[in-house]
Amino acid sequence: MSLAHDTSPRPPLDLLRHDWTREEVRALFGLPFPELMFRAATLHRENFDPAEVQISTLLSIKTGGCPEDCAYCPQSAKFDTGVKAEKLMELDAVLAEARAAKASGASRFCMGAAWRSPKDRDLDKVCAMVERVKALGMETCVTLGMLTDEQARRLKDCGLDYYNHNLDTSPEFYGEIITTRTYQDRLDTLDCVRNAGINVCCGGIVGMGEGLEDRIGMIATLASLPVHPESVPINMLVQVEGTPLAGQAKLDPFDFVRTIAVARICMPASVVRLSAGREDMSEETQALCFLAGANSIFYGPKLLTTPNPGRDRDMALLDKLGLRPMA
Ligand code: SF4
């Protein structure tokens, strides 16, 4: 079958599906680019104001020294990347960053800690951060590694809005990227978060040397979760010297845009975030991502430990495109 001439019916616009097959997702990836963009943009409009972009700021509250071996990550203690292990930040320093993010237009403040899973004493401190950041009038998101049901409940009780835990890639390619925890571990943590009533932020990374089948597998898995993640970050690998993925062949930007568009079509009511990798992306590629249905970005000069476009550059780009921050 020629995927480029797929004539399968469009997904029902008023119905969220959780039974996406790989064949269906593959057919979407194989559509002619203009048709794919049209379908994605149509669903984007049906579910969101396409002129609005949700803006999040991400702060590393505990950097480096992580015992996991995610092959893309400069914070793993297993790779020599020059990132030093630091202690958990103090509450006042986190609040100062949150206030600055809010003053620059961010509506959500995301806090990331390089842990395999949080210890209970650390969770007490993170809960205090969540409570105080929320008191500033911002949404909160944390990413702390694997959680138990009890830990997820504690985060819910302190008012956490979102928990980020990415599937990263397809189940088949996953073992090439991480060996210290399994795909099922990730799905189990997502269950804990969902069961606790916290919104789920879950997506993946492309450009890690995976093939098209892996991008298909990743989107099909995300879109087949019992409830779609409310937030779906799609990251382009940021290559960091010292990590096993440094020197990887670069992904064609159109393949990245296609991944965004297919995520938008398969999870039409989710916020799709154009996440890491924007520093190396042209303005034109970013504009295509917005046309493909991306409606969130990370804002601020740093994403955990890697560079991100400065705020002025981002505001200038949003202005140029006639986009505005989501309230
Ligand atoms: S991605 Fe997270 S869990 Fe993996 S090595 Fe980096 S900090 Fe650790």
Side-chain angles (χ1 to χ4, degrees):
M1 178 180 75
S2 163
L3 296 175
H5 294 96
D6 166 68
T7 53
S8 58
R10 290 179 194 171
L13 301 183
D14 56 347
L15 209 61
L16 290 183
R17 290 185 44 199
H18 301 270
D19 58 352
W20 285 95
T21 65
R22 292 205 180 192
E23 195 177 17
E24 289 173 307
V25 177
R26 190 179 301 115
L28 291 172
F29 271 98
L31 286 172
F33 191 73
E35 175 63 19
L36 175 63
M37 295 293 276
F38 175 74
R39 291 194 194 186
T42 302
L43 283 162
H44 188 186
R45 272 158 186 70
E46 302 224 345
N47 290 278
F48 295 95
D49 179 342
E52 289 193 339
V53 177
Q54 190 275 325
I55 294 188
S56 296
T57 288
L58 174 60
L59 174 71
S60 177
I61 56 171
K62 193 274 163 208
T63 301
C66 184
E68 303 293 288
D69 68 351
C70 311
Y72 50 82
C73 182
Q75 301 202 65
S76 169
K78 304 197 188 301
F79 316 135
D80 187 8
T81 61
V83 173
K84 299 261 181 312
E86 294 173 11
K87 288 196 181 125
L88 182 63
M89 281 176 72
E90 294 297 332
L91 176 61
D92 286 347
V94 172
L95 288 176
E97 296 278 351
R99 283 190 200 97
K102 188 181 180 199
S104 317
S107 59
R108 188 178 307 160
F109 193 65
C110 310
M111 295 170 270
W115 290 320
R116 174 175 167 81
S117 54
K119 298 193 174 65
D120 286 342
R121 66 169 185 276
D122 295 322
L123 208 57
D124 292 339
K125 292 182 182 169
V126 172
C127 284
M129 291 172 190
V130 168
E131 282 169 359
R132 297 288 297 278
V133 171
K134 268 189 85 81
L136 299 176
M138 300 183 85
E139 287 185 322
T140 51
C141 177
V142 297
T143 180
L144 313 172
M146 294 188 287
L147 292 184
T148 62
D149 280 318
E150 174 56 24
Q151 289 175 322
R153 270 195 296 275
R154 284 186 61 197
L155 287 165
K156 173 66 180 173
D157 289 347
C158 74
L160 181 71
D161 298 295
Y162 287 81
Y163 193 84
N164 165 265
H165 200 63
N166 290 334
L167 287 178
D168 283 353
T169 186
S170 67
E172 295 78 13
F173 191 62
Y174 182 86
E176 303 286 317
I177 301 297
I178 299 128
T179 67
T180 48
R181 69 174 84 160
T182 66
Y183 210 74
Q184 189 58 47
D185 288 334
R186 295 200 177 229
L187 291 168
D188 290 346
T189 290
L190 292 174
D191 271 351
C192 294
V193 172
R194 185 57 82 195
N195 293 339
I198 300 169
N199 292 314
V200 171
C201 172
C202 181
I205 309 175
V206 296
M208 298 194 293
E210 79 287 342
L212 173 60
E213 274 309 308
D214 297 306
R215 292 191 282 281
I216 292 166
M218 177 179 82
I219 301 284
T221 307
L222 288 167
S224 301
L225 290 171
V227 180
H228 292 168
E230 281 77 8
S231 178
V232 180
I234 303 291
N235 300 275
M236 176 82 106
L237 174 70
V238 177
Q239 299 192 11
V240 180
E241 214 47 58
T243 62
L245 294 185
Q248 192 61 239
K250 293 253 163 90
L251 188 75
D252 187 303
F254 286 109
D255 290 331
F256 183 76
V257 176
R258 282 181 182 277
T259 308
I260 297 258
V262 175
R264 164 55 65 223
I265 292 170
C266 296
M267 295 168 280
S270 301
V271 168
V272 175
R273 181 174 304 124
L274 169 53
S275 292
R278 288 195 304 117
E279 175 72 356
D280 289 333
M281 241 174 246
S282 69
E283 290 194 338
E284 291 82 354
T285 300
Q286 293 185 59
L288 281 175
C289 291
F290 293 129
L291 287 173
N295 59 347
S296 173
I297 56 169
F298 274 130
Y299 185 58
K302 236 179 170 190
L303 281 186
L304 298 175
T305 62
T306 56
N308 198 45
R311 292 192 172 101
D312 293 350
R313 246 171 74 198
D314 273 341
M315 272 303 148
L317 176 60
L318 294 186
D319 265 2
K320 238 191 255 190
L321 300 176
L323 302 177
R324 57 180 186 277
M326 202 180 275

